[in-house]
Amino acid sequence: MKDKELIEQGYRKYRGTDLDIYFRLELCTHSAVCIKGNRRVFNVRKKPWIFPDGEHHREKVMELIDACPSGALKYIAKDEEGPVMRLEQDEKRLYLMNEEDMEAGEMIFETEGDEIIVIKHTYVHDCFSGQGVGKKLLKAMVKKARSEQKKIRPVCEFAKGVMEKTDEYQDVLES
C-alpha cells in the first residue's frame, strides 16, 4: 500500500529513517502486541508514542507490525538500494512495483513437488537497471522458501550466481 492511500484511509504517519510506521486508532483492538514486543519503538508513556528509529533492526519492527491482529499498524520500508517498491506475487512469479505502479522487474518460478522452488528467470526492466531490483526479488524468494520450508534450485544464471556467492542463502540453496 502507498503512503497516500494509508493517509486517505485515516492512518497517521510516524516518519523514520529506514521505516515509516502508520497507525489508525479506530482499528486498534489494544492487544498490546506492539507495546509488549518493543518498547523502544512503541511506548505509550512518550509523545509521540511511536518512534520508528527506536530499533536498529527494522526487520524486527516489521515482523512485529505484521503480527498486529487488527491491522491498525502498517509500515512502508525505505530502501537503501534504490526507490521504495512493493512486492507482489502471482502463482508463478514475484514482481516489484514502484510507487507509480510501474513494474520494475519479475522473477519467474515454479514449484517442484513439496520441497523445491525452481527459479527460472529474473528480468529487470531497463529503466530500473542498477537499482538492486534483481537482488530484492531474490531476497524475497529466499524469504518465501524459508517460510515454506523449501529449497531453491536456481536455473536462472543471475539467481544461481548470487546464491552461490551469498553465505546467508546457503540454507535454502539446493545441494
Side-chain angles (χ1 to χ4, degrees):
M1 205 171 276
K2 294 187 218 177
D3 176 83
K4 183 179 178 183
E5 293 171 8
L6 290 168
I7 301 297
E8 286 173 356
Q9 291 178 15
Y11 284 85
R12 179 169 177 206
K13 181 177 184 177
Y14 296 84
R15 293 179 194 271
T17 305
D18 297 325
L19 193 70
D20 289 337
I21 299 176
Y22 299 79
F23 176 70
R24 185 170 169 195
L25 180 61
E26 302 81 40
L27 297 177
C28 186
T29 58
H30 304 292
S31 64
V33 168
C34 55
I35 296 166
K36 291 176 185 173
N38 193 321
R39 291 191 189 275
R40 290 184 305 271
V41 176
F42 304 99
N43 189 337
V44 293
R45 292 191 174 114
K46 291 187 175 182
K47 296 266 182 187
W49 79 280
I50 297 176
F51 182 61
D53 292 336
E55 172 65 58
H56 297 295
H57 304 285
R58 75 176 184 175
E59 288 77 20
K60 289 181 180 180
V61 179
M62 291 169 16
E63 288 175 14
L64 188 60
I65 292 170
D66 288 339
C68 175
S70 66
L73 287 168
K74 303 280 184 188
Y75 64 85
I76 295 178
K78 298 177 185 179
D79 205 327
E80 299 166 3
E81 299 173 358
V84 174
M85 296 186 197
R86 77 176 182 282
L87 181 69
E88 300 284 338
Q89 181 177 342
D90 287 345
E91 189 175 324
K92 300 286 183 183
R93 72 184 188 126
L94 292 177
Y95 57 101
L96 287 170
M97 302 293 287
N98 75 354
E99 291 178 327
E100 289 81 37
D101 284 327
M102 290 177 54
E103 187 174 303
E106 67 180 352
M107 182 169 279
I108 308 296
F109 69 95
E110 60 186 38
T111 54
E112 194 172 286
D114 292 334
E115 299 175 7
I116 305 292
I117 296 173
V118 181
I119 300 176
K120 308 284 278 183
H121 180 71
T122 304
Y123 177 77
V124 176
H125 297 281
D126 289 340
C127 61
F128 295 96
S129 181
Q131 298 181 29
V133 172
K135 288 183 179 179
K136 291 175 193 173
L137 287 165
L138 185 56
K139 185 176 182 177
M141 184 60 75
V142 167
K143 184 175 180 179
K144 173 181 172 56
R146 286 180 180 142
S147 71
E148 296 176 6
Q149 298 178 350
K150 294 182 179 182
K151 296 285 185 180
I152 295 175
R153 180 183 304 148
V155 176
C156 163
E157 288 299 318
F158 166 78
K160 183 177 181 180
V162 174
M163 288 193 76
E164 288 176 349
K165 294 176 192 172
T166 308
D167 290 339
E168 64 214 51
Y169 292 165
Q170 298 307 302
D171 64 313
V172 293
L173 181 61
E174 182 188 45
S175 42

